[in-house]
Amino acid sequence: MTVSILVPSSLVREAEDKREATRKLGYVARAATVFRADRLLVFPDRDGERRWGGGFVETVLAYAATPPYLRKEAWDTRDELEYAGVLPPLRTVPRTGSGSNDSGSLRQGIVTEVGPEGRVRVNCGLQHPLSLLTSPGMEVEEGERVTVRISSRRPVRAKLEDRPLPGLDVGRTDLPAALGRSDAGVRIATSRLGERLTIGRLESLSARIRRDGMTAAFGAPGRGLPEMLEVEVERVAAGDDGTDPSDGRTRQDAGSGSSADAVELGSDAPDRFDLWLNTIPNQGSETVRTEEAMFASLACLTLTE
């Protein structure tokens, strides 16, 4: 199961200054981390950008997702990170293995030196850099981030793992690409104009998310997804996006029991979500900030039995 979060490049359009914009992005990264998202992706909304665009948003989010022990080595001095000190710590729970041959915790490391015969030095936040052997066929370069499995601290026992980096993956994408991934799962657009999330609806929806994973997209302050995607309000409210409002499945996959039969996405159809969902149906404030919507939405959508 994979959980992907999509946020627009106009995410900090209402921030008064860079410090406030940085703090807001910190809470967005916190929300994604708290609810164990695998990916936090920035999609373009250039018409909604003001002082800071997608480059700023992606850089700050990527910095926030970098383990503290690697930040100094992984990031040069950059204008976007002027107020990085206000970012709240993510305190990501270490990913652990299972089984007698796959024990220990996974950590990110950065290669500081490449030596002969496949031996490299890696900084992974321990007292000293580690000298490790690469596995056959594995090629790394100086400055590259790698996955290290720590099986013992005293004495130190570790090895390089040829697998994706642990932790939150931050990047940039466009909506058709993100929604068209084979592991996109249930594709949810959050909007106050969407179908109200109820207790009765949540049971079947959360079961489907646990089975297939999900991709949840959020809008920006004062500029929701319907406006960004030029989707008519009536279509969102009526679920006229291929969705069967009774159970959240697309009409094409209703009865199939598999998300693989969902509506096929075209590059010119970024509005094709499985459902438009109002996850805060009784909001007491006229506006809900994106980071607030993320906490409220993901708390519901990631519930388990």
Side-chain angles (χ1 to χ4, degrees):
M1 185 190 77
T2 300
V3 175
S4 298
I5 307 299
L6 308 179
V7 294
S9 60
S10 56
L11 183 60
V12 291
R13 64 194 304 266
E14 92 296 3
E16 294 183 359
D17 53 40
K18 190 184 293 185
R19 182 187 183 93
E20 181 185 346
T22 301
R23 189 188 302 277
K24 179 186 182 75
L25 292 172
Y27 287 114
V28 168
R30 280 282 298 175
T33 301
V34 166
F35 295 102
R36 292 183 177 271
D38 299 284
R39 290 187 288 262
L40 178 56
L41 303 174
V42 181
F43 65 87
D45 176 34
R46 296 183 180 86
D47 290 343
E49 293 175 7
R50 289 180 179 171
R51 297 176 64 184
W52 301 283
F56 173 81
V57 171
E58 181 187 5
T59 297
V60 175
L61 289 176
Y63 180 88
T66 302
Y69 56 84
L70 290 183
R71 287 176 176 173
K72 184 176 181 180
E73 193 151 18
W75 293 90
D76 295 326
T77 301
R78 302 182 62 160
D79 291 341
E80 298 97 324
L81 302 176
E82 180 180 2
Y83 292 101
V86 305
L87 290 169
L90 300 189
R91 300 183 65 85
T92 305
V93 176
R95 305 288 179 94
T96 57
S98 60
S100 59
N101 296 321
D102 195 27
S103 60
S105 62
L106 297 177
R107 294 169 66 89
Q108 286 192 37
I110 189 166
V111 177
T112 59
E113 183 181 343
V114 178
E117 299 179 352
R119 187 166 290 276
V120 296
R121 291 181 67 82
V122 179
N123 173 12
C124 57
L126 301 182
Q127 186 174 4
H128 302 288
L130 303 179
S131 178
L132 302 173
L133 281 172
T134 58
S135 58
M138 183 180 181
E139 297 183 2
V140 297
E141 300 177 352
E142 185 174 329
E144 183 178 345
R145 294 199 207 182
V146 292
T147 300
V148 180
R149 182 176 295 281
I150 308 294
S151 56
S152 172
R153 295 293 187 95
R154 294 182 182 179
V156 174
R157 293 191 180 93
K159 66 177 182 178
L160 289 177
E161 295 271 328
D162 191 7
R163 63 167 66 191
L165 295 175
L168 183 63
D169 179 21
V170 175
R172 190 182 308 188
T173 187
D174 56 55
L175 279 177
L179 299 177
R181 292 180 61 106
S182 60
D183 62 352
V186 187
R187 298 166 297 187
I188 300 172
T190 61
S191 172
R192 64 182 179 85
L193 302 173
E195 181 185 354
R196 294 162 62 93
L197 180 62
T198 63
I199 295 175
R201 175 68 183 278
L202 182 60
E203 183 176 0
S204 61
L205 178 57
S206 61
R208 187 182 175 207
I209 290 172
R210 289 195 302 272
R211 184 189 69 203
D212 299 335
M214 74 171 172
T215 297
F218 295 84
R223 186 172 167 84
L225 288 173
E227 181 181 353
M228 290 181 195
L229 305 179
E230 298 181 347
V231 178
E232 297 176 1
V233 173
E234 293 77 10
R235 289 180 58 197
V236 174
D240 189 17
D241 56 356
T243 299
D244 180 350
S246 65
D247 62 1
R249 294 178 297 172
T250 60
R251 297 190 184 104
Q252 287 182 314
D253 76 353
S256 69
S258 170
S259 61
D261 299 322
V263 175
E264 182 178 354
L265 291 168
S267 60
D268 60 343
D271 58 328
R272 299 307 297 270
F273 290 90
D274 291 326
L275 68 159
W276 291 79
L277 201 60
N278 178 0
T279 56
I280 315 175
N282 297 311
Q283 67 185 60
S285 174
E286 291 183 1
T287 58
V288 176
R289 297 175 180 176
T290 305
E291 64 272 28
E292 295 170 337
M294 288 178 65
F295 274 105
S297 303
L298 296 175
C300 298
L301 298 174
T302 59
L303 285 174
T304 58
E305 294 180 343

